[in-house]
Amino acid sequence: MLRFVSQIDTDPSTAHDPLYVMFHGYGNDESEMIRILDAVYRQDDRADVASQPTRRPNYLSFRGTVDRPYMGGSYWYPDGCGVDERRRACSTIGDAVVSLLDAGMFSNRRTILVGFSQGGYLSYRMVVEHPTLFDAAILLSPSFTGETDTILASDTRCFLAYGTEDRTIPPADQLTARRVLNTAGHLEYHEYAGMGHAICEQEISDIRMFVDR
């Protein structure tokens, strides 16, 4: 069963604003991605935006389908599971999300996937299996084990980011992610010096510029 929180502005004047479809990392919950999106949209001190109203992003932020006992938080697929099991889990979730997005209130919006770690992998698999549906995918430190033979054929713009000190995602998997996403020809890649398996302020700024294009 899909669990999510949403913020959708029904004002007709915002009908073409993007819709963010977001998936958190292992052991977290839907609030993780809302914090990231809020940071992307927070009003800054630049003179060219100071007089503009604060934008209110539209989003669906999903909670992992499996709850983590004792420690809290959720996840999308078990640690250490095989590639086939991981892909099946992502397919089931992705198909359910796509069915939800078929609602009329979402029909005219640009749809942007956002995912961190496990959620980044899930977002990537949704692009693989639904290559014409999403306008962009923001993949933050995604897991990428087992994807060496994947060929991505999609016009979806992809933002891929890793920290140079990320010890959670092996370097070989990071290289695979970059190579596979590059095959489609729509990749924007960022690497952040000194950052681990996390999000940094420069990354937030780069995401803001990516979504504004």
Side-chain angles (χ1 to χ4, degrees):
M1 177 180 176
L2 283 176
R3 299 167 293 178
F4 63 92
V5 294
S6 64
Q7 177 172 278
I8 307 295
D9 192 338
T10 58
D11 185 331
S13 67
T14 68
H16 296 287
D17 287 356
L19 172 69
Y20 296 91
V21 180
M22 307 191 296
F23 305 95
H24 62 77
Y26 178 86
N28 218 302
D29 58 35
E30 62 277 10
S31 64
E32 174 184 59
M33 305 312 297
I34 296 171
R35 290 193 300 271
I36 293 171
L37 189 61
D38 282 346
V40 170
Y41 270 73
R42 70 171 175 257
Q43 194 162 15
D44 58 32
D45 295 327
R46 292 178 301 161
D48 61 326
V49 299
S51 62
Q52 298 177 12
T54 303
R55 292 181 294 176
R56 186 171 181 262
N58 296 278
Y59 62 76
L60 301 171
S61 188
F62 290 86
R63 185 183 180 94
T65 50
V66 183
D67 289 328
R68 191 167 62 156
Y70 311 118
M71 297 180 68
S74 303
Y75 53 91
W76 302 102
Y77 50 83
D79 274 352
C81 69
V83 175
D84 290 342
E85 182 180 355
R86 186 162 55 247
R87 287 180 175 176
R88 281 194 300 271
C90 290
S91 291
T92 299
I93 297 162
D95 289 347
V97 171
V98 168
S99 179
L100 178 65
L101 293 176
D102 195 41
M105 66 184 300
F106 304 133
S107 60
N108 293 320
R109 295 185 185 272
R110 286 190 299 135
T111 306
I112 300 176
L113 295 166
V114 190
F116 177 75
S117 196
Q118 274 198 357
Y121 178 80
L122 170 56
S123 298
Y124 151 75
R125 289 302 307 176
M126 289 175 66
V127 174
V128 171
E129 297 188 9
H130 305 276
T132 64
L133 183 59
F134 303 103
D135 296 278
I138 299 171
L139 311 176
L140 309 175
S141 306
S143 171
F144 232 80
T145 301
E147 295 297 316
T148 54
D149 296 327
T150 303
I151 297 175
L152 179 62
S154 172
D155 288 333
T156 300
R157 292 192 306 130
C158 290
F159 178 105
L160 175 66
Y162 288 108
T164 60
E165 302 303 315
D166 192 336
R167 302 291 182 258
T168 300
I169 309 300
D173 288 350
Q174 296 183 33
L175 288 173
T176 297
R178 189 172 181 180
R179 179 184 58 78
V180 169
L181 294 170
N182 220 7
T183 60
H186 308 287
L187 174 63
E188 180 176 315
Y189 176 70
H190 294 267
E191 189 171 270
Y192 300 99
M195 187 179 82
H197 195 60
I199 303 290
C200 68
E201 192 64 31
Q202 183 58 52
E203 191 171 7
I204 292 295
S205 178
D206 291 337
I207 294 169
R208 182 187 296 120
M209 289 188 289
F210 177 81
V211 300
D212 281 345
R213 282 197 288 275

